[in-house]
Amino acid sequence: MKYQLNDIDSYMETIHKVYHLAVDCNDDRAKCGFVQSEIYNYDHGFMGKYYNFQELPEDIWITICAETKEYIQSKLDEIEL
C-alpha cells in the first residue's frame, strides 16, 4: 500500500523469478535436504523425501500468488472506499 503498486501481476512475477535467490548461498543445508521417515531402516541405505528449497512447485506458487494478489487487492479496495 505504501508504494501504491499498479501492476500486481508484474510484482508477483518478479518475486517468482528471484525466489531462488532468497536461499543463503553459503549454507548448503539451506538449499536442500532429506526428511527421513519415522520407520527409517539404516540397514537398507538412505531413504527419505528430498526437498529442494530453491525450487517452488508450480502448484504451490499458483496458490501463494492468488492469495497474495487477493490480499493486496482487498487492501487497495479498502483504501479507495
Side-chain angles (χ1 to χ4, degrees):
M1 302 319 103
K2 180 179 177 180
Y3 299 106
Q4 300 175 353
L5 295 174
N6 294 321
D7 189 357
I8 298 170
D9 289 327
S10 293
Y11 176 73
M12 295 307 295
E13 183 179 331
T14 301
I15 291 172
H16 193 208
K17 287 181 179 180
V18 298
Y19 167 81
H20 68 280
L21 299 174
V23 177
D24 182 5
C25 294
N26 296 321
D27 186 358
D28 286 338
R29 295 174 299 154
K31 295 178 187 176
C32 61
F34 280 95
V35 176
Q36 297 174 354
S37 132
E38 291 181 10
I39 55 172
Y40 181 69
N41 184 343
Y42 289 92
D43 295 333
H44 299 291
F46 190 82
M47 294 295 210
K49 182 163 176 105
Y50 175 75
Y51 291 94
N52 182 346
F53 303 116
Q54 289 184 291
E55 296 177 8
L56 190 60
E58 196 62 26
D59 60 328
I60 301 295
W61 170 251
I62 290 170
T63 301
I64 290 170
C65 187
E67 290 178 4
T68 303
K69 286 168 47 175
E70 182 180 316
Y71 175 79
I72 291 171
Q73 190 58 55
S74 72
K75 293 299 180 184
L76 289 172
D77 292 344
E78 286 177 15
I79 290 172
E80 291 175 2
L81 296 176

